[in-house]
Structure formats: structure tokens, C-alpha cells
């Protein structure tokens, strides 16, 4: 009996002990879970606060930008004019009213309305901002003088670039539209970038590089700069200094035609053109955001090559300084429309009806060929000067554009008919 009781008692005690253990574990687990939940909640709250701070900061920035921005043209004066060499000159502009300048996005451009002696109408041109936006007291442009074409040496030299170089001097006043354009560095995305500038196409990507270095960002930035040789190599000391002083910057200068005096490894890194073949040899992978600006053949080859290399379209950003040529964009937007010759274009105010031809690269060109006057500036969808109302029909956009264009109008320099058209021109 004693043995039975003690066995029973033992069993009861064991059950109690197990129960107590179970309850203790449960309680401990709850406490742990509570602590974990508390920690998670605190972390979530901190993350939420950081996100909120970012949103507030962005909103403040937007408000500041819109307060400082302006509509139409504003008077600026040429503050400094500095030759960079190779027929390239930098112009530092500051607002005549001396109010602060709105920050711009690195890669954007300014649009100018120039009263050039001898011209019946103001001349409209766009020039990229070539320095970082971290200087609220000035905007800088860097402009190449454009000579007559090689196959037509008797033609007049570039109107606007000659005017900037030869006529505009320090203290002169010019009319400037606020910064615009969709080709800019996303400064909130700190993904590694490859910046590519060919010749004077250096300017917008230089603004991007200066922004990365001046803001103290640790973002990895490769900078490919393609020129013929040292005779065209501007901003040389500045770029070399950035390369020396910033571990995250990798400068790669390409001379397509080095001279005997050019020093490989010092003046330049590669005796070849900038190409995707070079990227494949030099870059550790294709996992970069690519930003490029340069002459049309270079842009065509690089955009096509990057796509072939498997770089997603949304990671390839580019801008043309003249009439667009990057086929990829044309194909993407026109779906073959521009080559369709069946459409008729009616210029209502001029009283002309013409057949669209596959030879026209844009409606603007079609108008010019048929003596219909449409004002233009950049011929690249950026300045908005060629905007024309569409009274009937549909147009296809041939490339990405920088200028705004409301429904019912089109930028004729970068549009083709998608149906028969009636235009208010
Ligand atoms: C968004 C954007 C940003 C830009 N950024 C920059 C920049 O940072 N730096 C820069 O230097 N440029 C830049 N440009 C280019 C700039 O806007 C001008 O296109 C460039 O300066 C040439 O303009 P122009 O008036 O001097 O030449 P234009 O007068 O337009 O002449 C162009 C060419 O045509 C030739 N020509 C003129 N008349 C005739 C004729 N009758 N027959 C045959 N040929 C003729 C000229 O000799 C010249 O070679 C940019 C363009 C865009 C769209
Ligand atoms: S001419 Fe500048 S947008 Fe067409």
C-alpha cells in the first residue's frame, strides 16, 4: 500500500512539476515573444519615422523648388566666362534679380532665347548644366563652338554657339527658362552608375559626377570620357583630381586617335573608342545604371550593345544634343508608323496638303520641305518651340521628350503621323 501511495504521489508530483515547467516555459516564451514584438515594434517605428522624415524632406525640397522656380524667361547675367580649350567655353550665369536659384537635377538643361544680331526672330537653343546643383548662386554651361559642316565649309557657323563664344561677354544679360529635362541622375537611388560622355556630351554627365563627389556620396561611379586625343580633352585636371581624391570614382578616358605625345596611363587609359566591348572588359558586371550622352553613332552603338549585354531598358538613360538618332527609341515609339507613306498631312493655316514620305524624319522636316514655317529650337523634343495644335488625326512620338506637351498638340520635331493629319500650321 505504502509503495502504491508513494508511486501515486510521485506520479502526481511529477505531473505537477511537468505542469509547472510547462507553465514556466509558456510564461518565458510569452515574455520572450513580448520582448521580440516590442523590439520589432520599436524597429518598425524607427523605420517608419525615417521614411516619414524622408517624405517630409522630399516635400520640403519640392516646395522650395517650386517657390524658387519661374515660368517663361528670366533675366540672367554672364558672371564669368572661362575658356576650357578645344573651342569649348564655360559660362557662369547668375540671376539678374540675385534671388536664389532653384536646385536642378544633375543632367538637366536650360533653354535660351537669344536675340542674335541679323536674325529676324529670337533663336532658341538648349544647353545642359555642367556643374552640380550644390551651388545656389550660379548655373554653369559649357558650350562648344560649332563650325560649318565638313562637306559644306562655306555654310555659316553655328548661330547660337558662335554668339555665346564671340559676342556674349561678362555682365551681358540673356533670357533663360527654368531647368528642365527628363535625363537626370536619380540621387535617391544609390546604385552604382556608369556615366558616359562623348565629346561635348560630357556636360550632363559631368554634372552628375560633380554631384556625387560634392555631396560626399559613396556611390560607385565609373566615368567613361571619349575624345579624339588631348586636343579635345577638356576638364582634364578637374577629372583627374576627382579620380585621385574619391575612392568610389573610376575615371576611364578613351582617346580614339592618340598622338605621339599622348601618355597612356596618364593622359588616357584606353586607345580606343568608348564601347560596350570596353565595358565588358573593364566593368566587374553589367549591374549598373548607365547614363550616356554623345554623338549619334556612339549613342546608337552603345544603347544597342547594352541591350545585347542584357542591361534592362530601365537602367539605360541617354540624351541626344541634336535631332534624335537612337533607333531603339524610334522603334519603341513609332511602331513603324514613320515609314508609312499612305498618310496625308494638311497644314491648315498655310493651306497645304502633302503626302507623308518615308524620307521625312519628322513632321517639322515635312513642313520645311513644303515651305510651311514652324518655329523650332532644339529639334530634339526639349525646348517646346515647335509645338503645334493637332486639329484632326493622331501622331506618333519618335523619342522620349524633355518638353511638356499637352493633349491636342504635338512636338513636330519628334513626331510622325499615325493617321491622316490636320495641323494648325
Ligand atoms: C538638351 C540639349 C542639351 C545640350 N547641351 C549642350 C551643351 O551642354 N553644350 C553644347 O555645346 N551644346 C549643347 N547642345 C547643343 C546646342 O543646343 C546646339 O544645338 C549647338 O550649340 C548648335 O547650335 P548652333 O546654333 O551653334 O548651330 P546651328 O546654327 O543650329 O547650326 C548647326 C550646324 O548647321 C550648320 N549650318 C548652318 N546653316 C547652314 C546652312 N545654310 N547650310 C548648311 N549647314 C548650315 C552650321 O554650320 C552648324 O554646323 C544641347 C542640345 C540639347 C537639345
Ligand atoms: S524644336 Fe525644341 S521641342 Fe521641337
Amino acid at each position: 500500500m505504502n509503495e502504491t501511495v508513494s508511486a501515486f504521489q510521485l506520479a502526481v508530483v511529477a505531473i505537477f512539476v511537468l505542469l509547472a515547467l510547462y507553465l514556466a516555459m509558456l510564461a518565458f516564451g510569452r515574455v520572450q515573444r513580448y520582448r521580440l514584438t516590442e523590439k520589432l515594434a520599436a524597429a518598425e517605428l524607427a523605420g517608419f519615422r525615417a521614411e516619414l522624415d524622408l517624405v517630409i524632406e522630399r516635400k520640403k525640397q519640392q516646395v522650395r523648388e517650386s517657390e524658387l522656380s519661374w515660368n517663361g524667361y528670366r533675366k540672367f547675367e554672364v558672371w564669368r566666362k572661362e575658356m576650357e580649350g578645344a573651342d569649348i567655353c564655360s559660362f557662369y550665369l547668375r540671376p539678374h534679380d540675385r534671388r536664389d536659384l532653384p536646385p536642378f537635377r544633375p543632367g538637366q538643361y536650360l533653354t535660351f532665347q537669344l536675340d542674335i544680331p541679323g536674325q529676324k526672330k529670337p533663336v532658341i537653343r538648349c544647353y545642359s548644366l555642367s556643374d552640380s546643383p550644390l551651388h545656389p548662386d550660379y548655373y554653369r554651361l559649357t558650350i562648344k563652338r560649332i563650325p560649318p559642316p565638313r562637306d559644306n565649309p562655306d555654310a555659316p557657323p553655328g548661330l547660337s554657339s558662335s554668339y555665346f563664344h564671340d559676342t556674349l561677354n561678362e555682365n551681358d544679360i540673356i533670357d533663360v527658362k527654368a531647368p528642365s529635362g527628363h535625363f537626370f541622375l536619380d540621387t535617391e537611388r544609390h546604385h552604382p552608375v556608369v556615366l558616359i560622355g562623348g565629346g561635348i556630351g560630357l556636360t550632363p554627365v559631368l554634372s552628375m559626377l560633380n554631384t556625387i563627389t560634392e555631396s560626399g556620396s559613396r556611390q560607385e561611379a565609373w566615368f567613361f570620357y571619349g575624345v579624339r586625343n588631348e586636343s579635345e580633352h577638356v576638364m582634364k585636371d578637374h577629372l583627374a583630381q576627382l579620380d585621385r581624391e574619391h575612392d568610389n570614382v573610376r575615371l576611364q578616358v578613351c582617346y580614339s586617335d592618340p598622338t605621339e605625345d599622348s601618355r597612356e596611363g596618364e593622359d588616357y587609359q584606353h586607345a580606343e573608342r568608348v564601347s560596350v566591348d570596353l565595358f565588358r572588359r573593364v566593368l566587374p558586371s553589367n549591374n549598373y545604371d548607365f547614363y550616356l550622352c554623345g554623338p549619334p553613332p556612339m549613342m546608337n552603338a552603345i544603347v544597342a550593345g547594352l541591350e545585347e549585354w542584357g542591361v534592362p531598358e530601365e537602367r539605360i538613360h541617354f540624351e541626344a544634343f541634336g535631332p534624335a538618332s537612337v533607333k531603339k527609341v524610334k522603334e519603341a515609339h513609332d511602331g513603324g508608323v514613320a515609314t508609312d507613306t499612305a498618310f496625308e498631312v494638311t497644314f491648315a493655316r498655310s493651306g497645304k496638303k502633302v503626302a507623308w514620305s518615308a524620307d521625312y524624319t519628322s513632321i517639322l522636316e515635312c513642313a520645311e520641305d513644303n515651305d510651311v514655317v514652324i518655329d523650332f529650337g532644339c529639334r530634339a523634343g526639349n525646348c517646346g518651340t515647335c509645338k503645334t495644335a493637332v486639329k484632326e488625326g493622331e501622331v506618333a512620338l519618335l523619342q522620349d521628350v524633355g518638353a511638356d506637351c499637352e493633349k491636342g498638340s504635338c512636338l513636330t520635331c519628334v513626331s510622325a503621323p499615325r493617321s491622316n493629319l490636320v495641323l494648325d500650321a
Side-chain angles (χ1 to χ4, degrees):
M1 173 80 179
N2 262 353
E3 268 174 24
T4 322
V5 169
S6 72
F8 175 74
Q9 280 174 337
L10 271 176
V12 170
V13 168
I15 286 168
F16 269 111
V17 168
L18 281 174
L19 200 66
L21 264 174
Y22 174 73
L23 287 173
M25 277 169 67
L26 216 62
F28 182 70
R30 276 218 180 127
V31 169
Q32 288 298 87
R33 266 206 302 280
Y34 175 72
R35 282 194 183 143
L36 198 66
T37 319
E38 207 179 32
K39 269 189 195 160
L40 279 174
E44 243 172 54
L45 199 65
F48 178 68
R49 268 200 203 128
E51 240 171 64
L52 198 67
D53 284 349
L54 208 67
V55 172
I56 292 172
E57 203 39 57
R58 252 184 246 149
K59 262 274 151 295
K60 273 190 193 160
Q61 165 98 349
Q62 278 170 5
V63 170
R64 195 172 148 68
E65 263 178 47
S66 66
E67 274 171 5
L68 293 175
S69 194
W70 67 96
N71 288 321
Y73 288 95
R74 178 173 173 187
K75 301 269 177 223
F76 274 68
E77 67 184 41
V78 180
W79 178 32
R80 270 160 57 198
K81 183 176 172 183
E82 281 176 12
M83 265 326 274
E84 304 285 2
D87 258 346
I88 293 176
C89 186
S90 285
F91 297 83
Y92 293 76
L93 308 179
R94 56 182 185 184
H96 191 50
D97 57 20
R98 294 289 189 277
R99 286 184 57 223
D100 271 357
L101 289 170
F104 59 92
R105 291 176 173 74
Q108 288 192 308
Y109 57 82
L110 298 176
T111 302
F112 293 82
Q113 179 175 267
L114 307 165
D115 289 317
I116 301 182
Q119 296 302 308
K120 284 191 207 129
K121 287 182 186 171
V123 173
I124 313 285
R125 292 288 185 274
C126 302
Y127 289 100
S128 302
L129 290 146
S130 64
D131 205 351
S132 88
L134 302 167
H135 307 275
D137 52 336
Y138 70 82
Y139 285 150
R140 186 182 72 181
L141 323 165
T142 302
I143 299 180
K144 182 179 168 62
R145 182 201 289 277
I146 304 295
R150 273 194 215 133
D151 60 357
N152 190 356
D154 297 332
L159 254 180
S160 150
S161 56
S162 304
Y163 176 73
F164 267 94
H165 275 252
D166 302 334
T167 310
L168 265 187
N169 287 313
E170 287 173 6
N171 300 323
D172 284 349
I173 306 273
I174 43 176
D175 292 323
V176 187
K177 267 194 189 173
S180 56
H182 301 307
F183 174 68
F184 55 78
L185 180 75
D186 182 350
T187 47
E188 279 168 19
R189 188 177 145 79
H190 298 284
H191 194 74
V193 289
V194 177
L195 310 174
I196 307 149
I200 191 61
L202 161 85
T203 52
V205 285
L206 177 62
S207 170
M208 296 178 191
L209 184 69
N210 283 358
T211 306
I212 291 172
T213 53
E214 284 176 31
S215 64
S217 160
R218 301 287 311 135
Q219 185 172 16
E220 181 186 337
W222 290 75
F223 194 85
F224 288 86
Y225 178 26
V227 286
R228 206 134 53 89
N229 49 45
E230 56 270 35
S231 66
E232 293 181 353
H233 189 168
V234 294
M235 306 277 179
K236 188 174 175 185
D237 294 342
H238 172 71
L239 289 169
Q241 188 182 352
L242 294 187
D243 185 48
R244 248 190 341 267
E245 292 179 356
H246 299 268
D247 296 345
N248 53 324
V249 172
R250 315 236 192 298
L251 177 66
Q252 305 286 311
V253 177
C254 297
Y255 281 7
S256 59
D257 186 17
T259 63
E260 275 180 12
D261 295 336
S262 314
R263 295 159 303 171
E264 186 165 1
E266 280 185 51
D267 298 324
Y268 69 99
Q269 280 69 43
H270 308 282
E272 59 187 293
R273 289 177 198 282
V274 181
S275 68
V276 176
D277 181 46
L278 177 64
F279 301 159
R280 283 176 181 252
R281 278 181 276 134
V282 174
L283 296 174
S285 77
N286 67 357
N287 188 14
Y288 290 87
D289 288 341
F290 292 82
Y291 291 86
L292 66 138
C293 182
M298 172 184 152
M299 305 252 293
N300 276 332
I302 292 182
V303 171
L306 288 175
E307 282 182 347
E308 233 172 77
W309 194 20
V311 179
E313 202 177 323
E314 63 274 15
R315 293 226 176 148
I316 309 172
H317 313 269
F318 53 85
E319 179 159 80
F321 275 180
S325 61
V326 176
K327 291 190 187 88
K328 179 183 94 72
V329 187
K330 188 166 155 53
E331 281 159 15
H333 286 286
D334 70 6
V337 175
T339 57
D340 195 322
T341 55
F343 300 134
E344 274 181 344
V345 182
T346 304
F347 296 101
R349 265 195 286 145
S350 318
K352 289 195 176 161
K353 185 184 271 194
V354 298
W356 176 259
S357 150
D359 294 338
Y360 296 134
T361 55
S362 67
I363 293 172
L364 176 62
E365 202 183 284
C366 169
E368 286 170 338
D369 247 39
N370 292 283
D371 297 324
V372 175
V373 178
I374 296 180
D375 286 343
F376 64 87
C378 65
R379 301 186 80 98
N382 290 312
C383 67
T385 312
C386 67
K387 198 190 294 180
T388 301
V390 180
K391 297 176 92 173
E392 277 173 38
E394 270 185 65
V395 294
L397 201 55
L398 302 176
Q399 65 170 85
D400 289 330
V401 297
D404 292 329
C405 189
E406 59 278 6
K407 216 167 165 254
S409 293
C410 74
L411 298 172
T412 54
C413 70
V414 287
S415 301
R418 197 191 277 284
S419 68
N420 287 336
L421 273 185
V422 181
L423 296 171
D424 186 30

